[in-house]
Amino acid sequence: MELRTGVSKQDIREQIWDYMESQNLADFPRPVHHRIPNFKGASRAAEHFPRLQAFKTARTVKVNPDAPQTNARFFVLDSKKTLLVPTPRLRTGLFNKITPPPGATKDILRKCATSQVINIPEALLEDHDLTVDYILTPTRVIATGCERPKPTGILWSKISCEVMGKIPILRSLRYRERQAGKDVTLQDEPRHLLGTSSQQPPPLGTVRRPQDPHQPGSCSGQGEDGPANTVYIGNLPRDARVSELKKALRELGAVPQRLTWQGPQRRAFLHYQTPASAQQAVSCLQGLRLGAATLKVALARQQRAGDVTGSCSEEPYPDFRSAVSDL
């Protein structure tokens, strides 16, 4: 199989997928496009895995959850090693940790297949690409001899705000690295906003009450921040605490100047210095979860009037104080 010149990594993927489909080189699931193909012979190739010196000396082995690595996972458990399986949407980590049960056994299916190894242009490799040391085929083990340095940590500039909201553990890791003085600017996050949001806002000496809807001027929808500076957070869990939300905001680098907490109404309002910082917070907080609930996040001016503090509303205000506090 010859690669066309002047191609991108995606072009190479498409060519290989097309070739595997045309030559019927993959097992279920099909078609192989936009996935890691389960090539015929994958289970046989996995038999080389326990023979590698790196495998023999390892106590914990990470194996992806895709179909081609099924037998590799069995070998890890059969060898009485701890198996880590990446699961990005876990709330408290990135991996499922599986400890082999007593008497674990393997059942290897043997299939014959041809294999090809294709070199891609060095220019296509980026700083986040992880090169392999060995390639296992049904018939041989290929040592790549690649000396390219491997990534040593999380490259925050490659991570979007949307991804941050979907993988909770990233928020904790990012907060720790920011505290250590590292650059944790996200892919779509302006640096000047990161610097502002990562700092502790000045303490507030007062606690605000929601404005009385019957007072004159309460229907103006304007406050000292203005609606464009305020972010609405809805669908809070009934047992949520303001400390949980504040912790998530700090980890995401979306700390507001003030926070208005209306827990019994399952909502809160974040007040930012500028409309731009409020809009950035909306982007960063998309997909944010507290407990099992995915929160609703939008600019407050995009909500119906009755949802915004200081707007005209027929909904009675609760007889508790809405806590506004520094973070």
Side-chain angles (χ1 to χ4, degrees):
M1 177 181 172
E2 295 292 333
L3 290 177
R4 297 188 299 268
T5 59
V7 297
S8 65
K9 284 190 286 188
Q10 185 60 29
D11 292 330
I12 294 174
R13 295 187 190 103
E14 296 287 348
Q15 290 181 53
I16 293 175
W17 289 331
D18 290 344
Y19 181 80
M20 293 189 71
E21 281 294 325
S22 66
Q23 301 299 314
N24 194 31
L25 296 179
D27 287 328
F28 178 85
R30 300 281 291 273
V32 300
H33 295 77
H34 307 291
R35 69 175 82 244
I36 296 178
N38 186 18
F39 68 92
K40 293 181 179 180
S43 57
R44 186 178 176 188
E47 293 183 15
H48 298 296
F49 198 31
R51 302 169 192 165
L52 298 176
Q53 185 60 30
F55 180 88
K56 292 178 182 178
T57 59
R59 299 175 61 184
T60 301
V61 182
K62 187 213 87 169
V63 183
N64 286 351
D66 309 287
Q69 290 91 11
T70 298
N71 277 37
R73 295 192 292 273
F74 289 159
F75 274 120
V76 173
L77 296 176
D78 189 61
S79 300
K80 305 298 188 291
K81 301 178 186 293
T82 297
L83 172 65
L84 297 181
V85 181
T87 312
R89 292 181 184 273
L90 286 177
R91 291 186 57 204
T92 57
L94 289 175
F95 301 96
N96 276 316
K97 181 179 179 181
I98 305 172
T99 303
T105 61
K106 58 182 178 293
D107 179 17
I108 305 304
L109 301 176
R110 294 178 178 269
K111 298 179 183 178
C112 295
T114 59
S115 62
Q116 290 186 329
V117 177
I118 299 172
N119 289 320
I120 68 172
E122 180 75 17
L124 293 181
L125 296 179
E126 301 179 59
D127 53 3
H128 67 277
D129 286 321
L130 180 65
T131 55
V132 297
D133 299 313
Y134 298 95
I135 298 173
L136 309 185
T137 80
T139 57
R140 58 180 174 151
V141 175
I142 303 171
T144 64
C146 181
E147 297 180 356
R148 181 184 178 85
K150 293 177 171 55
T152 58
I154 298 174
L155 302 178
W156 297 106
S157 61
K158 302 291 184 180
I159 298 176
S160 67
C161 290
E162 181 181 3
V163 170
M164 282 290 295
K166 292 179 178 178
I167 306 179
I169 189 62
L170 284 181
R171 301 198 295 269
S172 296
L173 294 175
R174 186 181 183 223
Y175 179 67
R176 292 179 187 176
E177 295 204 4
R178 183 194 294 116
Q179 295 297 101
K182 296 182 179 180
D183 183 0
V184 294
T185 308
L186 301 183
Q187 184 181 72
D188 49 358
E189 179 180 38
R191 290 179 180 272
H192 72 279
L193 291 182
L194 177 70
T196 300
S197 60
S198 62
Q199 298 175 355
Q200 293 285 348
L204 299 179
T206 60
V207 175
R208 266 187 170 184
R209 297 174 182 268
Q211 188 177 13
D212 185 346
H214 300 293
Q215 290 180 352
S218 64
C219 295
S220 65
Q222 301 292 328
E224 61 181 358
D225 289 330
N229 296 11
T230 302
V231 174
Y232 165 86
I233 304 291
N235 197 39
L236 289 168
R238 296 187 183 282
D239 58 349
R241 297 184 177 182
V242 66
S243 59
E244 295 173 324
L245 178 59
K246 291 195 290 187
K247 180 175 183 292
L249 295 174
R250 284 195 300 267
E251 292 171 351
L252 280 170
V255 178
Q257 287 190 315
R258 299 193 309 280
L259 184 154
T260 302
W261 178 258
Q262 296 182 352
Q265 294 172 298
R266 303 182 62 189
R267 68 190 183 195
F269 296 92
L270 313 179
H271 309 280
Y272 292 89
Q273 185 174 9
T274 66
S277 57
Q279 183 60 64
Q280 184 63 32
V282 170
S283 299
C284 283
L285 298 177
Q286 292 303 316
L288 177 62
R289 297 173 66 89
L290 283 186
T294 299
L295 306 186
K296 298 178 181 178
V297 182
L299 290 176
R301 63 179 178 177
Q302 296 173 350
Q303 301 301 309
R304 63 183 178 85
D307 282 339
V308 183
T309 301
S311 65
C312 188
S313 170
E314 296 180 359
E315 178 180 331
Y317 283 98
D319 56 0
F320 67 98
R321 298 206 307 180
S322 295
V324 180
S325 63
D326 63 277
L327 299 184

